[in-house]
Amino acid sequence: MPATTGPDEARLGWWQCRAVAADGTPAWLAVVWSERHPDGARVELAIDAATAAVGADAVAVATYAGPNVAFLTVSERGARGAPPLWFGEVPETTAAPPAVNLMVFTGLRAAPGALLDGPAMRTAGATTANQVGAVRWYPATGEVDQIYVQPAWRRHHVAGALIAAAAALSYARDWPRLWSDGQRTELGERLRNASPWRTRTADLTHLAPPMTPDESGGEGPPSEGARRQP
């Protein structure tokens, strides 16, 4: 499944650092992209040591409140230029297989980075109309099924923020790392090829139709509407 990387990226690895408080409870988990540890490594350190080890290389950080994740913070390294975003989680426990939807919003009545459940999302004023984007994946395997960004929010690095936040959430819960098979839209393929996460994807095997009706694959950036694009 690995894709080709450039000489600089070949030295970098995606690894995780969990910061542990003095009482042994987790404080935060960072997804890091650097040369300090090999790809896929996980380290657990006291908070001060973890802060020093991660430095400025964190891509996204999941912050715990007790056993639960309360905040997902995506750094400039993870999604440079993205707007202030917050997240809503909607599990699909009865789906086959069970899935998780991580939705993203901006503004309204929630703090940037907050991770809210369904009732709290409604209290914050979240609706389908003001949703910026979402990613859906299967937590049992880590396979990403869909990622989508509303057309008005493309070119704002929202997809990169979604990918980074979903990775941090998955690792913070000790779920498998995210990956994708070779099915995606034309826009998703362009996003994948421009993404540092492309080593987590298979090469294109099947071109899926656009997720937005009447959307042309030639309209934009590396765009951010995709079928199976982590």
Side-chain angles (χ1 to χ4, degrees):
M1 186 171 69
T4 303
T5 60
D8 292 335
E9 289 184 10
R11 296 195 301 269
L12 299 172
W14 295 102
W15 55 279
Q16 312 118 53
C17 181
R18 178 175 276 153
V20 180
D23 64 359
T25 59
W28 48 264
L29 180 141
V31 178
V32 190
W33 195 33
S34 79
E35 301 177 20
R36 188 178 182 97
H37 290 283
D39 190 74
R42 167 166 303 182
V43 297
E44 292 196 1
L45 301 169
I47 293 174
D48 289 347
T51 301
V54 171
D57 294 322
V59 170
V61 178
T63 302
Y64 296 92
N68 301 316
V69 176
F71 280 87
L72 294 169
T73 306
V74 180
S75 71
E76 281 287 297
R77 185 166 173 79
R80 187 175 303 278
L85 300 169
W86 60 271
F87 303 90
E89 182 181 9
V90 178
E92 296 180 40
T93 56
T94 61
V100 170
N101 292 280
L102 186 65
M103 303 175 182
V104 66
F105 302 85
T106 189
L108 304 175
R109 297 187 294 275
L115 175 63
L116 306 183
D117 62 12
M121 289 167 61
R122 289 190 288 274
T123 299
T127 67
T128 301
N130 55 36
Q131 177 182 307
V132 173
V135 58
R136 181 179 189 268
W137 76 98
Y138 306 121
T141 63
E143 181 182 8
V144 173
D145 178 53
Q146 295 179 3
I147 181 168
Y148 181 75
V149 175
Q150 294 285 2
W153 284 99
R154 295 175 188 171
R155 302 179 183 239
H156 293 279
H157 306 282
V158 172
L162 270 169
I163 294 166
L169 180 61
S170 188
Y171 284 133
R173 291 178 172 165
D174 295 318
W175 293 347
R177 78 180 190 184
L178 302 186
W179 60 278
S180 167
D181 66 11
Q183 298 184 67
R184 45 190 166 263
T185 65
E186 183 177 346
L187 298 180
E189 175 68 357
R190 294 169 62 193
L191 170 63
R192 179 261 190 186
N193 291 337
S195 171
W197 298 91
R198 61 186 176 274
T199 55
R200 298 291 195 255
T201 68
D203 291 335
L204 183 68
T205 58
H206 176 74
L207 195 62
M211 295 178 68
T212 301
D214 301 321
E215 183 176 66
S216 168
E219 63 162 12
S223 189
E224 297 165 349
R227 168 76 178 176
R228 298 196 174 182
Q229 166 55 45

